Amino acid sequence: MNAPHILALDQGTTSTRAILFDRAGRALHTAQQELTQHYPADGRVEHDAGEIARSAVKVCNEALAFAQQKSLTVAAAGITNQRETTVVWDKKTGAPIANAIVWQDRRTADVCDALRKRGLESEITARTGLLADPYFSATKIAWLLDHVSGARKRAAAGELLFGTTDCYLIWHLGGGKVHATDATNASRTSLFNIHTQQWDDALLEMFQVPRAMLPEVKNCADDYGSAALLPGAPAVCGVAGDQQAAAFGQACFTPGMVKSTYGTGCFALMNTGAAAVPSTRRLLTTVACRLGGAVTYALEGSVFNAGTAVQWLRDNLHLIKSAAASEAAARAADGDSGVVFVPAFTGLGAPHWDARARGGIFGLTRATTAGDIVRAALEAVCHQTRDLLSAMDDYGAPQSLRVDGGMAANNWLMQRLADIANLKVERPAVIETTALGAALLAGLHCGVYPDTEAITANHRVEKVFTPKMKESTRAALLQQWTDAVGRVRS
């Protein structure tokens, strides 16, 4: 019972969770608190960073209380987070100067259009592996500095700090002693040169972001100080953005391995090893992990709306009572309804990168049922994943796909994914691999795991889904999807 355990803080888009893992990667206790979503205008998505901090303390306290009750030793803590979401706060008080701008937010689309028109996107891509898109943090930082009274002057004077939510939580939980992030989160800002592994002066000038605001960039398994606000002040020594943490939790350590995570959005990441492979299909070249200064790169495709489509059907249209009910609804629906749902609520991500696209449901008739629409929403997840995998041909076609996230529990969806992607789909025994990845990184740094080989040995596959669909059926579905995407493009 006194073997080392690890606390993982998973700060996501819709909730904050703390999970206590044992050395075998089993989740012993989970505490969760939902977050309020703020939508002040079309295409705008915000969070209250203060609420994020309070929720983190609350769920961690609950998980640590469980550990104390069971006399479990907590060796360390790891943090994983919604990437790109931007927080700017007062260096002395810790108070955010405004709501955090969430990764889904599209308010800076015009700024990104202007960068492309000036011919700067190629330079951004060469240095960061990213595109000129509102998704990333740099234009969000600049927007806050330009729209919050006095913010730009205060930032230039060194009075304000920037961070993604991991960075803000490290600073907050540590009592303001550590202002740091990891290389994966830094690589999503559009300010970090993924080749030199440094903040880039040319990018700071391009986006008009003062260097004084930026955190120190550390390895994913590293010393991030102690969480002094938590019982026992556990050492924080593992940090990674949610998608990179999921890839680590899936033990995708070999070049060519691919994982896809299904939560608020859908994100497919392919390990490309020590090579930063440029994409010709508008995927992102990003940092998968940095351990001991050695960088592993990845190709990544990002879909902005996956779980949000099911959430919308539940909360806005009331077609289902719970997200879990979507599986039964899809099974009962007519497979030949012809209904296609493109959930571009906040634009289209890879490989389209159309910030002004909006969602649409096509093929409706008087015979269309609620189940047909639910089924189409789940199929949209499969089609979007296939689009991402097809765009990874710059490195090579994947042999299988490791899946995780809440939606991966849906057996109908996973079988449909295997059918539409025409690929073997592997679901792990631990489906919450994002939090697990943060725990494993922390465990690696504090000696719970000697190396990544030990982590690979712990990985277990719970179920494998293999393609069963006829090629003619797949081709027809793909044509319907392609036509529908063309209709929602701006």
Side-chain angles (χ1 to χ4, degrees):
M1 295 295 288
N2 287 319
H5 295 72
I6 304 170
L7 176 69
L9 176 58
D10 182 355
Q11 200 296 292
T13 309
T14 57
S15 70
T16 303
R17 297 182 304 161
I19 304 179
L20 189 69
F21 288 97
D22 66 10
R23 189 186 185 283
R26 293 181 295 244
L28 303 183
H29 185 81
T30 300
Q32 180 169 344
Q33 181 170 318
E34 290 195 3
L35 294 175
T36 306
Q37 311 295 308
H38 301 275
Y39 306 102
D42 179 36
R44 296 192 178 190
V45 190
E46 297 179 354
H47 284 159
D48 177 352
E51 181 188 5
I52 288 174
R54 290 189 297 273
S55 69
V57 172
K58 181 177 182 295
V59 297
C60 286
N61 281 342
E62 183 179 325
L64 290 170
F66 172 86
Q68 185 178 29
Q69 179 186 1
K70 299 294 183 180
S71 300
L72 304 178
T73 300
V74 178
I79 296 176
T80 184
N81 59 292
Q82 51 169 315
R83 304 171 304 172
E84 298 94 18
T85 294
T86 298
V87 186
V88 175
W89 67 95
D90 186 290
K91 186 176 182 178
K92 290 184 178 180
T93 68
I97 66 169
N99 276 348
I101 302 181
V102 176
W103 58 272
Q104 297 165 308
D105 192 281
R106 316 304 286 170
R107 74 185 67 188
T108 60
D110 289 343
V111 175
C112 295
D113 287 345
L115 290 169
R116 283 191 291 273
K117 288 176 181 177
R118 290 167 57 195
L120 295 175
E121 184 172 62
S122 59
E123 183 177 353
I124 294 170
T125 301
R127 294 171 184 267
T128 69
L130 309 179
L131 301 171
D133 191 85
Y135 179 25
F136 308 108
S137 305
T139 58
K140 302 180 195 299
I141 302 169
W143 191 95
L144 286 169
L145 296 183
D146 291 335
H147 289 80
V148 176
S149 179
R152 185 163 287 284
K153 183 177 180 180
R154 294 179 64 199
E159 298 175 10
L160 300 181
L161 301 178
F162 152 73
T164 40
T165 60
D166 63 300
C167 181
Y168 182 63
L169 289 174
I170 291 165
W171 192 92
H172 179 78
L173 294 175
K177 294 182 179 179
V178 178
H179 183 217
T181 189
D182 83 295
T184 68
N185 277 296
S187 74
R188 313 296 294 194
T189 61
S190 291
L191 300 173
F192 187 72
N193 189 312
I194 62 172
H195 309 290
T196 65
Q197 292 290 293
Q198 301 288 332
W199 298 117
D200 192 294
D201 287 330
L203 295 169
L204 294 178
E205 182 177 353
M206 183 187 302
F207 289 102
Q208 291 296 288
V209 173
R211 178 179 281 273
M213 300 180 70
L214 303 179
E216 178 186 0
V217 181
K218 291 177 170 281
N219 295 313
C220 299
D222 213 326
D223 179 9
Y224 289 86
S226 62
L229 290 189
L230 301 180
V236 178
C237 47
V239 179
D242 50 11
Q243 303 315 314
Q244 286 91 339
F248 203 86
Q250 286 272 34
C252 290
F253 302 139
T254 303
M257 295 182 73
V258 185
K259 73 87 202 175
S260 189
T261 298
Y262 299 95
T264 301
C266 161
F267 303 86
L269 187 148
M270 173 185 274
N271 184 324
T272 63
V277 177
S279 173
T280 62
R281 303 282 297 279
R282 294 179 67 76
L283 294 185
L284 308 176
T285 303
T286 195
V287 174
C289 191
R290 195 175 85 187
L291 297 175
V295 182
T296 298
Y297 293 95
L299 282 172
E300 182 182 317
S302 308
V303 169
F304 300 147
N305 293 281
T308 46
V310 176
Q311 189 179 51
W312 180 74
L313 296 179
R314 181 194 67 188
D315 298 342
N316 292 51
L317 299 192
H318 308 292
L319 299 186
I320 50 176
K321 291 184 178 180
S322 67
S326 63
E327 179 170 355
R331 287 187 186 280
D334 180 4
D336 298 319
S337 71
V339 177
V340 182
F341 183 4
V342 184
F345 299 125
T346 51
L348 288 169
H352 312 288
W353 295 106
D354 188 340
R356 291 184 175 80
R358 289 296 179 265
I361 303 176
F362 304 96
L364 299 175
T365 70
R366 285 291 300 273
T368 299
T369 67
D372 294 333
I373 297 174
V374 174
R375 182 186 179 107
L378 295 182
E379 285 190 332
V381 174
C382 305
H383 285 296
Q384 291 178 107
T385 303
R386 183 193 176 278
D387 287 346
L388 301 183
L389 296 174
S390 297
M392 289 180 173
D393 284 346
D394 290 306
Y395 190 80
Q399 300 303 305
S400 64
L401 177 65
R402 293 188 170 183
V403 296
D404 55 74
M407 296 184 81
N410 185 321
N411 287 321
W412 185 90
L413 174 60
M414 292 299 99
Q415 182 58 54
R416 202 65 168 174
L417 175 61
D419 288 337
I420 288 177
N422 196 24
L423 197 64
K424 180 174 70 174
V425 171
E426 300 176 352
R427 184 170 66 196
V430 180
I431 203 169
E432 297 299 347
T433 53
T434 299
L436 176 61
L440 294 174
L441 285 165
L444 192 64
H445 184 72
C446 72
V448 173
Y449 307 103
D451 47 39
T452 56
E453 286 77 11
I455 292 171
T456 298
N458 264 349
H459 183 75
R460 297 288 183 271
V461 174
E462 178 263 331
K463 189 174 179 63
V464 177
F465 301 85
T466 56
K468 298 178 181 178
M469 182 179 286
K470 292 181 180 179
E471 182 55 40
S472 58
T473 303
R474 182 183 302 110
L477 289 173
L478 295 179
Q479 187 58 56
Q480 289 178 347
W481 170 256
T482 301
D483 291 345
V485 170
R487 294 187 183 193
V488 304
R489 294 292 303 274
S490 62

